[in-house]
Amino acid sequence: MKTKTSISSLLGVTQEQAALLFGVSRSLWSLVEIGKRNLPLHATELLGKILVKIQESEATSNSPVARQHDTFNKKLEKLLHENTYQILHLEREIAAAIKKREKESRLRRLKDLLTNLENEKKFQTGMASIINSKVSRTNDVVISNLLFEQEHRMELLQFEKSLLESKLQSLKLKMIMPKAENNPAL
């Protein structure tokens, strides 16, 4: 079992400690590490279990790469959460602007109808001037421009959301792939 790095140094123990761990003599352990002898079956099984655990722990958050992935994942999730909040907030603003535009439009049509009726002398109540005072000074063009800007911002937020979701999915796949490569059973 000759390796570039000795098993005892991989485990972070001395040869004497490794021999004790695997229940073999120090001299046998030395021969195992230089590749001249094999470990007994019970020691080989124990070594296999230990090496699997080391691989698993390196693939989890203990490794710097995994910690970096986890940090990046958390940042992406936070950005996605903020993006979702902005989308919901903007949806409410757009709904309010549309409602305001529709209300203004109805009031203008009513004012125009009452004005026409008053001009034809068929209806005389002075309601046209009352409704005219209720019609907002805001121009339809201003409301339409505001809606256009809000809808444009919504498109950008939705694009940002899809980009963040894609990056998050890609990061999760990168986290799964090394585990699958290290463990063929996955």
Side-chain angles (χ1 to χ4, degrees):
M1 179 180 261
K2 191 167 185 165
T3 60
K4 292 181 181 179
T5 304
S6 70
I7 297 170
S8 51
S9 59
L10 175 71
L11 299 176
V13 295
T14 64
Q15 282 190 342
E16 190 173 331
Q17 291 168 332
L20 283 171
L21 175 67
F22 293 107
V24 295
S25 69
R26 159 89 173 61
S27 59
L28 176 59
W29 182 256
S30 178
L31 292 172
V32 167
E33 283 201 327
I34 61 172
K36 298 223 182 228
R37 294 282 307 268
N38 291 327
L39 281 172
L41 183 60
H42 75 279
T44 304
E45 288 175 353
L46 179 59
L47 176 61
K49 289 178 184 178
I50 290 171
L51 291 176
V52 165
K53 286 293 182 187
I54 288 173
Q55 268 187 327
E56 287 174 358
S57 68
E58 286 178 354
T60 62
S61 63
N62 293 336
S63 72
V65 172
R67 280 194 304 266
Q68 183 181 16
H69 279 269
D70 190 43
T71 301
F72 192 54
N73 188 39
K74 286 178 183 176
K75 286 180 182 179
L76 283 174
E77 286 175 348
K78 183 180 178 187
L79 287 171
L80 187 59
H81 179 73
E82 289 172 6
N83 174 276
T84 303
Y85 171 78
Q86 289 177 357
I87 287 174
L88 291 173
H89 183 70
L90 191 56
E91 283 174 348
R92 285 190 296 263
E93 287 180 3
I94 289 172
I98 289 171
K99 190 174 179 179
K100 182 177 181 178
R101 183 178 66 182
E102 289 171 352
K103 178 184 173 187
E104 293 291 325
S105 178
R106 282 192 302 272
L107 281 173
R108 281 194 176 93
R109 286 193 305 264
L110 180 60
K111 178 197 65 110
D112 291 343
L113 174 67
L114 291 174
T115 302
N116 287 340
L117 289 174
E118 287 177 359
N119 288 342
E120 294 173 5
K121 308 275 188 218
K122 293 182 180 177
F123 193 69
Q124 201 63 326
T125 61
M127 286 299 293
S129 61
I130 294 171
I131 290 176
N132 193 34
S133 67
K134 292 188 181 253
V135 174
S136 172
R137 308 258 185 250
T138 308
N139 190 336
D140 279 338
V141 175
V142 173
I143 294 175
S144 294
N145 285 341
L146 175 66
L147 271 171
F148 175 78
E149 289 173 11
Q150 288 173 331
E151 289 169 351
H152 177 68
R153 185 158 183 260
M154 179 63 79
E155 289 175 1
L156 290 174
L157 285 171
Q158 288 171 339
F159 177 73
E160 180 184 34
K161 180 180 181 179
S162 66
L163 181 64
L164 288 169
E165 288 172 338
S166 173
K167 280 192 163 287
L168 203 54
Q169 185 66 26
S170 173
L171 184 65
K172 286 179 182 178
L173 286 175
K174 285 181 184 177
M175 292 293 288
I176 292 171
M177 293 306 277
K179 290 179 185 176
E181 290 171 2
N182 292 336
N183 189 356
L186 289 179

